[in-house]
Structure formats: C-alpha cells, structure tokens
Amino acid sequence: MKVLKNVAAVRTAWKWSGEFLRLMSLSGAVCLLDQLFKNAIDTEPEENFPREMPGTKGQVKIMRVHNPGFSRGRFGTYPEFVKLVSITLTGFLAGGLHALTVEHPGKFQLRKLGISFVIGGALSNILDRVRKGKVTDYLNINLPWFRKLVVNIADLSIYLGGILYVISAFLRRDE
C-alpha cells in the first residue's frame, strides 16, 4: 500500500513538473546559444579582436576576454571557490524552481521565467569554469554603465533573469 502511495506521489510530481521541464529547456537553450558563441570566439585568431559588431554603429565591440572569477574578475585568484559557489547556487536555484513549479503550478510565471534565465546563464558559465577554468566573455557594450564591462550572453541572461525576478516581486498579478 505504501508503495502505491509513493507511485501516486511521483506521478503527481511528474505531471506538475512538465512546467519545470519547459523552463529548464529554456535554460538549456540559453546555455547552448552562449556555448556556441563562446566556441566561435575561442577558435578565432587573436588578430580578429577587438572589432565592431556589424549593425551596431560602434556601440558593441566583439572582444575575447577570459575571466577566472565572478563578474569583473572578483575572486579570480580562487577559481575552485568560484566553481564550487557557482555550482552550489545554480543547483539551489534549480531545486527552488522545481519546488516552485510543483507547489504553485501555473502561478508566479514571471518569477519562474526569471529563475530559468538565471539558471541558463549560470550553467553556461559553469561549463566554461569546469572545462577551461575560466569564462569566455566577448561583448563590450558602449553604454555609460557597461563601458568597462565585457560580458557574454550568459551574463546578459543572468541580468535579465534577475530583473524579471525583481519585477515579479512587485507585481501582485504574478501570483
């Protein structure tokens, strides 16, 4: 009898987790897209950098920068710490997203979307840290608050996800 209850609980969780799988598919797509760009950047000759991104009127430059730390190289002298914290926090977010989709199916959509974007960006950067020991950044956006930053699609996804999450916290209609 206890086995049947466990099977029923697993079946219910699986049914509700369809939303989770869709959100994690989005995370995977973000990760894959960024990995494709990073691979293309890493295989180009050094003399191709920096260069202007076509169609941006000089507002975006393509560069190749390798960062062993968090944003702006923070903790770059402790790459194992950066790797461990990144993996731990991403796992925590994925677990939280799964719990949120199981406990509140169909609710908190903007919040879940934000978490999904953060996970996708984090996964791509984790892949770089695990495989190469550093993250490849390649976009220099010429805006006053971005001018000195070189980022990648994963970083932009993390920023976007964080913004969506904060916005969702202020919207009561998201519940």
Side-chain angles (χ1 to χ4, degrees):
M1 214 40 145
K2 189 174 182 178
V3 172
L4 292 177
K5 285 183 182 178
N6 289 341
V7 169
V10 168
R11 183 181 299 146
T12 302
W14 181 255
K15 183 177 94 178
W16 288 344
S17 69
E19 181 181 26
F20 175 72
L21 293 175
R22 285 189 300 276
L23 290 165
M24 287 305 293
S25 294
L26 173 63
S27 298
V30 167
C31 178
L32 177 63
L33 178 67
D34 187 53
Q35 285 294 306
L36 290 171
F37 275 97
K38 287 175 179 175
N39 184 57
I41 294 294
D42 281 338
T43 56
E44 282 195 46
E46 187 63 40
E47 60 268 9
N48 289 356
F49 303 104
R51 67 178 184 264
E52 289 184 10
M53 180 181 260
T56 64
K57 298 179 184 175
Q59 292 296 105
V60 179
K61 289 185 181 161
I62 299 175
M63 307 176 88
R64 178 169 53 205
V65 177
H66 293 107
N67 181 0
F70 293 120
S71 179
R72 294 189 171 203
R74 289 181 180 92
F75 294 101
T77 55
Y78 305 101
E80 290 303 312
F81 171 75
V82 171
K83 191 185 310 179
L84 179 66
V85 169
S86 298
I87 291 169
T88 302
L89 290 177
T90 304
F92 177 77
L93 282 174
L97 180 61
H98 185 262
L100 196 57
T101 58
V102 168
E103 295 296 320
H104 303 284
K107 294 183 178 178
F108 304 109
Q109 294 298 316
L110 192 59
R111 192 168 304 189
K112 292 172 186 174
L113 185 64
I115 295 170
S116 181
F117 274 114
V118 171
I119 291 170
L123 284 174
S124 182
N125 285 343
I126 287 170
L127 279 174
D128 277 8
R129 288 187 179 105
V130 168
R131 290 184 336 187
K132 300 182 279 188
K134 55 194 173 210
V135 174
T136 301
D137 293 324
Y138 48 85
L139 294 171
N140 177 245
I141 303 169
N142 191 14
L143 296 172
W145 61 91
F146 255 78
R147 199 166 278 144
K148 294 183 181 179
L149 283 178
V150 181
V151 297
N152 54 43
I153 290 174
D155 297 335
L156 296 175
S157 179
I158 292 169
Y159 299 149
L160 173 64
I163 290 167
L164 290 175
Y165 189 89
V166 168
I167 289 171
S168 74
F170 292 107
L171 295 177
R172 287 284 188 213
R173 293 175 294 192
D174 190 39
E175 295 178 1

